[in-house]
Amino acid sequence: MSRPHVVDSVAALRARIRDWRRDGQRIAMVPTMGALHDGHLSLVKIALERADRCVVSIFVNPTQFAPTEDLDKYPRQLARDLDMLAAVKADLAFTPGVSEMYRAGFATKISVGGPSAGLETDFRPTFFDGVATVVAKLLLQAAPDFAIFGEKDYQQLCVVRQLCRDLDLPVEIIGAPTIRDAHGLAMSSRNAYLDEAELQIARQFNVILRKAAAALAAGAGQEETIAEASRVLVATGFQKVDYVEARESLTLTPWRRDRAGRVLAAAWLGKTRLIDNVEVPTA
Ligand code: AMP
């Protein structure tokens, strides 16, 4: 299995994509921050079901990290990532440095409203501006037909859809289901921070959210159900719960019983912040 070709400049990315376009090929992009796992690889597989070529970007985007967050210790392991991408036949890895993405004097910020309100934004107020700006750049650089984003970062997926709709970006955004380990823990590059005891607790996260979603589906009151889920998270060993909320799946406005819903949560285990979300089951 050969590793994907690697480019680290926008010019080289565009040159390669121009060649593919000339041959009439359809192109999909999977933006990532690297430290790849099976969740990321599932996005590449979905990309290649739709497109002839898949570009994976690997860029730890500094503008979406607050000064207090884990930018410096975020795992970086390019050689391993390229081996993993070879296994799923990704065609091209785009690995720009910070100065390629943010040239000296960079002064533009994209701010998306709508689904960015609340949830993550209450705790990471500049996060989605950073995400929207870098995603807009990546989509303009590669100009793919499709871009694949995971439901694992559900609010981010909604923000990216809004961004593309509002700016008329000519790309179809595909949402991909969350890949979980055998215990239901959503795969995440940040799971690498967890020690064995924390991992055991982390595995209860999805169980607790699923129980809350099932209770809501069965008619339990929203306020009590959410409060109970928060209480159980803390009783299980999470030190702090940033939020547990039920939201409407498409718009992320507060959930109403007659609408498709999603329970979304963020909670801390030691110094690690985990997020997850599950669907409110329908009858
Ligand atoms: P990240 O590298 O964490 O920025 O994630 C890159 C992309 O992979 C995003 O679209 C994430 O939503 C997606 N992703 C991360 N973890 C998972 C997972 N467990 N299942 C599916 N997609 C995922």
Side-chain angles (χ1 to χ4, degrees):
M1 271 172 303
S2 59
R3 282 180 167 183
H5 186 73
V6 180
V7 291
D8 60 10
S9 73
V10 176
L13 171 74
R14 286 190 167 145
R16 183 56 65 125
I17 286 176
R18 203 178 312 119
D19 289 345
W20 291 340
R21 288 275 180 219
R22 200 174 295 133
D23 295 340
Q25 298 187 336
R26 309 242 287 169
I27 294 153
M29 180 171 221
V30 176
T32 82
M33 298 206 298
L36 301 182
H37 50 65
D38 285 349
H40 297 112
L41 299 189
S42 76
L43 306 191
V44 176
K45 289 178 195 157
I46 290 171
L48 286 171
E49 282 166 13
R50 298 192 177 240
D52 305 296
R53 300 284 185 177
C54 176
V55 185
V56 177
S57 61
I58 297 178
F59 178 62
V60 183
N61 176 35
T63 68
Q64 70 192 66
F65 287 77
T68 51
E69 293 179 348
D70 56 345
L71 174 63
D72 292 339
K73 77 166 184 166
Y74 197 86
R76 288 161 172 88
Q77 43 195 45
L78 184 60
R80 185 171 168 275
D81 287 349
L82 294 176
D83 286 340
M84 293 180 76
L85 290 178
V88 287
K89 300 189 167 62
D91 297 279
L92 185 63
F94 176 46
T95 60
V98 173
S99 60
E100 179 71 5
M101 288 299 268
Y102 300 108
R103 303 227 173 74
F106 187 91
T108 297
K109 183 169 73 185
I110 296 186
S111 196
V112 178
S116 70
L119 302 170
E120 287 298 293
T121 298
D122 285 344
F123 299 88
R124 308 180 74 191
T126 59
F127 174 65
F128 284 123
D129 288 354
V131 168
T133 304
V134 82
V135 168
K137 281 177 67 73
L138 289 166
L139 296 180
L140 289 166
Q141 289 162 347
D145 299 286
F146 309 100
I148 328 297
F149 289 84
E151 289 182 350
K152 157 76 172 43
D153 301 279
Y154 195 83
Q155 191 178 12
Q156 171 174 281
L157 170 61
C158 296
V159 168
V160 169
R161 286 192 198 285
Q162 182 84 40
L163 165 79
C164 292
R165 197 179 321 129
D166 290 353
L167 296 187
D168 303 305
L169 296 183
V171 52
E172 188 180 336
I173 302 301
I174 313 289
T178 303
I179 302 299
R180 301 174 179 279
D181 75 3
H183 304 267
L185 173 63
M187 293 197 171
S188 164
S189 308
R190 290 189 167 101
N191 291 351
Y193 300 154
L194 302 172
D195 64 27
E196 191 49 40
E198 289 169 336
L199 187 60
Q200 298 307 325
I201 299 167
R203 286 175 168 156
Q204 294 305 308
F205 198 11
N206 74 97
V207 177
I208 295 163
L209 296 187
R210 259 180 240 290
K211 205 166 159 200
L216 290 175
Q222 207 174 135
E223 223 172 281
E224 308 84 272
T225 306
I226 293 302
E228 172 66 4
S230 272
R231 194 192 62 70
V232 175
L233 282 168
V234 171
T236 303
F238 286 88
Q239 278 86 14
K240 191 157 89 76
V241 176
D242 278 354
Y243 61 84
V244 181
E245 286 193 46
R247 292 284 183 105
E248 205 262 293
S249 298
L250 280 181
T251 58
L252 290 188
T253 49
W255 181 61
R256 294 204 333 244
R257 202 161 282 289
D258 56 333
R259 297 286 170 84
R262 205 99 202 172
V263 175
L264 304 99
W268 290 85
L269 268 176
K271 290 189 170 121
T272 308
R273 185 174 184 274
L274 299 181
I275 62 171
D276 200 355
N277 68 89
V278 301
E279 213 172 21
V280 177
T282 46

